[in-house]
Amino acid sequence: MSLKIYNTLTRQKDLFTPLAPPYVGMYVCGPTVYNNAHLGNVRTFMTFDLLFRYLTHLGYKVRYVRNITDVGHLVGDGDEGEDKIGRMAKLEQLEPMEIVQRYTNDFHRVMEDFNILPPSIEPTATGHLIEQIEAVQDLIKKGLAYESNGSVYFDINAYNAAGNDYGKLSGRILEDLLNETRELDGQSEKRNPLDFAIWKNASPEHLMQWNSPWGRGFPGWHLECTCMSAKYLGNQFDIHGGGMDLKFPHHECEIAQGKGLTGTDPVRYWMHTNMLTVNGQKMSKSLGNSFLPAQLFSGDHELLEQAYSPMTVRFFMLQSQYRSTLDFSNDALKAAQKGFKRLANGLRVLKSLEYVAEEGVVSDEKKREDIEKSLQGFYDGMNDDLNTSVAIAHLFNLLKYVNMLYMNQLKAAALGEDLFAKLKENFIIFFEDVLGLQEEPAEGTAVLTGMLNLYREYKAAQQYDKVDEVRSYFKNQGLVIRDMKHRIDWAYEE
Ligand code: AMP
Ligand code: ZN
């Protein structure tokens, strides 16, 4: 086991060594639930689902915390302006918690559609206000935060004076950041324009607000993740993930808060996923180039040439490694659909294959070696910072042998019982458990088996019009009948 993970903090692939094996603590910034999850969000959560699955497969006991942001995330991601959820609540004339509930439900449905496993704990920011208020008090006590007009700000100068380096994760230089900032000296509540809010004073019309030692207000966006990760994973934990766009300021601020509170760096491995793009531009709600999963499944969007199934999309995303950008296109999705169906067919037939010992079959050393190489190659790919594109290439090489066995071009006995069993077991584990792919038959398999029996009967009775009817029954569901010399079967149309 030598999993390497690209660590944004060290800017290199680091060997993954958990703090307290076999336990692994992993925190991922969850969605802000003020609108429907789009496909870009899905890419990020799918990446960490893959990691969660792979670590579990390797034998680690993972506590995976993925929060729900239901307060404090302001429009524009800064310290000023409306709360994203509050704004939506006003627009729709709903209670903010109705917005939160609606889009949390939507998020869960989307995660399930893509076979993304639920995390071990899914805490909410509003459920941890006491922890956040205590953290603010503690930071003030430590001289790392100050109150100003009912708001409390993290004091970057004090933090850096204590020997810290705000900006180390994202590689930002303080002077550059100062030049970029729009806030003018002397007009702000802040001592330094880079200071960020950990508690905000709420005006009367602000919908979500609570009592605090500093008056009515609400927590700053960055604080929730610090408090919830520390509560459930400890002051220092193994992995923290999120999309690349969260590196700065969100994750930079999390480091400052965590280090300020406990004196230790909160996270050992920082992982960031690259963006899903459309024509080279980040897919985002605000740019108007985002798809909702439901639109993909129905094909109902001007940029879509056809409908795509959840597993086609999952496979499309997994084909590229999470740190490369992934550009959405119909061509790429169609190719993914073909590839996924080929693998799904392989999985189906493999499940039905049994080892047959045959006298006089010579062992095929070359094929045996190649299979062993690809079984190992899958792991090597995954261990190289979750390089799924390499891992999947090896899965396709294994598929070649599965199909040869199925077509009787290769005898199981030529592989030997152990290797045959290993191939079968691992192919299924790679496909289902690690990559999280699933077969998607339109009908229950019992119905399909019944229809195949009818096909055999009609064929034997030479009722060819009926035979054609059965064929089109399959075709209408994206399936085909494979009528081979040694067997008759159905398969996904590739
Ligand atoms: P949000 O709900 O906007 O806070 O986003 C939830 C997660 O989705 C964050 O980790 C974002 O970084 C991530 N995300 C947003 N847009 C994209 C995108 N186009 N591609 C990949 N991840 C994204
Ligand atoms: Zn976060």
Side-chain angles (χ1 to χ4, degrees):
M1 270 195 268
S2 52
L3 170 62
K4 284 192 172 160
I5 287 180
Y6 184 87
N7 189 347
T8 310
L9 201 56
T10 58
R11 290 161 180 72
Q12 62 180 19
K13 288 182 201 170
D14 288 338
L15 187 66
F16 179 63
T17 49
L19 265 177
Y23 300 101
V24 171
M26 170 158 114
Y27 186 94
V28 171
C29 293
T32 304
V33 281
Y34 70 106
N35 60 16
N36 296 102
H38 64 69
L39 213 60
N41 306 133
V42 171
R43 184 184 192 202
T44 288
F45 298 120
M46 193 183 288
T47 298
F48 293 104
D49 179 57
L50 177 79
L51 180 59
F52 181 35
R53 286 168 177 278
Y54 188 55
L55 290 171
T56 306
H57 169 70
L58 292 180
Y60 291 116
K61 309 232 173 306
V62 187
R63 181 179 292 169
Y64 174 19
V65 183
R66 189 187 66 204
N67 70 303
I68 295 281
T69 295
D70 58 355
V71 70
H73 195 172
L74 304 185
V75 175
D77 295 347
D79 282 348
E80 298 299 331
E82 273 189 282
D83 184 290
K84 292 188 181 195
I85 289 158
R87 181 170 164 271
M88 199 55 91
K90 279 185 194 154
L91 273 174
E92 305 216 6
Q93 298 192 313
L94 291 172
E95 162 69 25
M97 281 298 129
E98 283 182 284
I99 297 290
V100 164
Q101 190 65 56
R102 176 192 292 175
Y103 294 111
T104 302
N105 291 348
D106 169 76
F107 176 68
H108 287 155
R109 259 193 310 270
V110 168
M111 293 298 101
E112 208 170 299
D113 281 340
F114 289 104
N115 201 23
I116 292 171
L117 297 172
S120 331
I121 303 176
E122 193 173 53
T124 62
T126 53
H128 296 76
L129 280 161
I130 291 174
E131 287 84 348
Q132 294 179 78
I133 289 173
E134 281 174 1
V136 175
Q137 287 174 312
D138 204 8
L139 285 170
I140 293 176
K141 216 169 10 176
K142 291 190 158 77
L144 293 172
Y146 56 91
E147 191 211 332
S148 179
N149 294 332
S151 294
V152 181
Y153 294 98
F154 189 92
D155 189 335
I156 301 278
N157 289 340
Y159 176 68
N160 279 350
N164 295 301
D165 179 11
Y166 181 79
K168 70 174 176 179
L169 177 72
S170 53
R172 303 290 178 109
I173 295 164
L174 281 189
E175 277 167 28
D176 296 348
L177 285 171
L178 275 171
N179 289 335
E180 281 169 28
T181 174
R182 275 166 283 159
E183 285 184 46
L184 298 173
D185 263 352
Q187 291 188 3
S188 165
E189 298 174 345
K190 301 180 185 181
R191 292 180 189 165
N192 176 336
L194 297 181
D195 293 350
F196 58 91
I198 50 180
W199 185 265
K200 277 293 282 186
N201 171 38
S203 56
E205 64 276 12
H206 194 96
L207 290 178
M208 283 179 286
Q209 47 176 287
W210 291 264
N211 282 328
S212 80
W214 315 281
R216 305 270 309 162
F218 58 92
W221 172 35
H222 316 303
L223 194 59
E224 57 172 286
C225 291
T226 293
C227 293
M228 295 188 282
S229 60
K231 175 161 179 165
Y232 299 111
L233 300 172
N235 290 341
Q236 193 182 50
F237 56 95
D238 296 305
I239 300 170
H240 191 315
M244 251 172 60
D245 53 341
L246 295 186
K247 242 190 260 180
F248 186 87
H250 187 54
H251 291 161
E252 202 72 72
C253 296
E254 275 190 59
I255 293 181
Q257 293 165 157
K259 182 93 192 285
L261 282 165
T262 70
T264 35
D265 260 313
V267 177
R268 301 179 66 231
Y269 300 86
W270 279 97
M271 290 177 74
H272 292 99
T273 55
N274 212 326
M275 296 288 111
L276 179 69
T277 57
V278 184
N279 298 323
Q281 235 183 358
K282 174 189 166 184
M283 181 180 283
S284 98
K285 258 247 120 82
S286 50
L287 292 172
N289 64 354
S290 62
F291 305 116
L292 299 183
Q295 293 173 317
L296 264 150
F297 306 155
S298 66
D300 186 17
H301 189 285
E302 56 184 15
L303 284 171
L304 295 172
E305 289 170 14
Q306 61 168 81
Y308 301 97
S309 75
M311 287 303 115
T312 292
V313 179
R314 184 167 177 120
F315 184 68
F316 161 71
M317 290 190 175
L318 292 180
Q319 270 180 311
S320 64
Q321 201 246 10
Y322 74 92
R323 278 200 300 127
S324 50
T325 53
L326 175 61
D327 200 47
F328 173 90
S329 78
N330 281 281
D331 286 348
L333 268 169
K334 283 182 203 164
Q337 177 172 316
K338 224 175 157 55
F340 171 68
K341 287 189 174 182
R342 282 175 58 208
L343 281 176
N345 276 330
L347 182 84
R348 275 206 66 233
V349 304
L350 186 59
K351 282 184 174 171
S352 72
L353 289 180
E354 294 300 336
Y355 185 77
V356 187
E358 284 179 80
E359 292 289 319
V361 175
V362 245
S363 171
D364 192 329
E365 289 311 316
K366 229 174 115 202
K367 291 197 174 64
R368 281 175 51 86
E369 227 171 80
D370 196 41
I371 290 171
E372 292 278 15
K373 223 174 76 192
S374 271
L375 288 170
Q376 183 55 43
F378 184 91
Y379 283 103
D380 293 343
M382 291 299 291
N383 285 340
D384 183 16
D385 192 29
L386 304 183
N387 195 334
T388 39
S389 91
V390 168
I392 288 174
H394 285 289
L395 197 59
F396 272 110
N397 193 42
L398 296 174
L399 174 69
K400 192 173 78 188
Y401 296 104
V402 172
N403 285 333
M404 286 166 91
L405 288 164
Y406 178 63
M407 303 300 278
N408 257 348
Q409 293 160 353
L410 170 67
K411 302 262 186 223
L415 301 182
E417 191 161 6
D418 288 352
L419 186 61
F420 175 84
K422 192 170 161 190
L423 169 64
K424 183 168 174 174
E425 190 191 352
N426 280 282
F427 192 96
I428 297 171
I429 288 175
F430 293 166
F431 185 97
E432 292 182 341
D433 297 352
V434 177
L435 297 177
L437 296 166
Q438 287 172 325
E439 281 193 74
E440 299 177 306
E443 285 279 1
T445 44
V447 178
L448 296 175
T449 309
M451 290 304 284
L452 269 191
N453 285 336
L454 275 181
Y455 173 88
R456 288 192 188 93
E457 284 171 24
Y458 292 141
K459 205 178 140 197
Q462 301 191 332
Q463 289 179 278
Y464 293 115
D465 48 338
K466 296 274 193 209
V467 166
D468 285 346
E469 270 176 37
V470 180
R471 273 193 198 283
S472 30
Y473 170 83
F474 279 89
K475 176 127 187 96
N476 288 340
Q477 301 180 53
L479 308 174
V480 286
I481 294 180
R482 278 183 181 169
D483 195 338
M484 296 162 287
K485 238 191 266 164
H486 64 298
R487 66 201 289 172
I488 294 173
D489 212 346
W490 65 265
Y492 301 100
E493 191 172 11
E494 289 171 7

